[in-house]
Amino acid sequence: VQLQASGGGLVQTGGSLRLSCVVSGGDYYAIGWFRQVPGKEREGVSCLSDNDDNTYYGESVTGRFTISRDNAKNTVYLEMNSLKPEDTAVYYCAAKRDAPLYYSGIFSTREYDYWGQGSQVTVSS
């Protein structure tokens, strides 16, 4: 499975961006979006799970971010609204393929088998 993330950029506080993750090479049980800033661990942002057909969000982004997918385009999106400077990070998409993803592992980086390259999101104050 290959994942290609895109859509990052520079935006002002309160602005919006949409990240895209094109998934190719096979099916998956879940797609997760993570983000990372230098010196910190990778943080789970959102997850779309085929296992239970649900979407999940981290506390810091709930109500502002929306994960969705277009099966015809093999693409998973992360719509980010009301962006804040603390949302600045490199964003990664990842696929869980080898086994179903359960709730306890939705934001665990160890659960995901394939990762895309990062996409930089910078929110200016």
Side-chain angles (χ1 to χ4, degrees):
V1 174
Q2 294 83 43
L3 301 99
Q4 181 75 34
S6 62
L10 173 64
V11 65
Q12 291 185 335
T13 297
S16 298
L17 282 174
R18 187 178 75 164
L19 301 180
S20 300
C21 178
V22 178
V23 186
S24 60
D27 296 329
Y28 51 82
Y29 286 102
I31 295 291
W33 282 100
F34 293 78
R35 65 187 182 186
Q36 190 169 26
V37 297
K40 292 191 176 181
E41 292 187 356
R42 201 164 288 189
E43 173 194 13
V45 174
S46 184
C47 172
L48 188 153
S49 173
D50 263 358
N51 189 45
D52 56 8
D53 200 27
N54 274 336
T55 57
Y56 300 94
Y57 299 93
E59 282 188 19
S60 61
V61 306
T62 297
R64 300 188 297 122
F65 290 13
T66 303
I67 191 170
S68 63
R69 67 179 162 186
D70 184 332
N71 288 330
K73 296 182 178 180
N74 294 322
T75 301
V76 175
Y77 301 100
L78 184 69
E79 184 76 34
M80 305 184 294
N81 298 314
S82 302
L83 283 162
K84 306 174 182 180
E86 50 264 43
D87 295 317
T88 295
V90 178
Y91 284 71
Y92 299 88
C93 58
K96 171 70 170 174
R97 182 183 167 138
D98 295 344
L101 180 68
Y102 295 98
Y103 179 77
S104 61
I106 57 173
F107 290 145
S108 171
T109 57
R110 293 190 300 270
E111 290 294 322
Y112 291 82
D113 309 299
Y114 300 91
W115 291 82
Q117 90 293 358
S119 183
Q120 176 71 47
V121 171
T122 303
V123 184
S124 63
S125 58

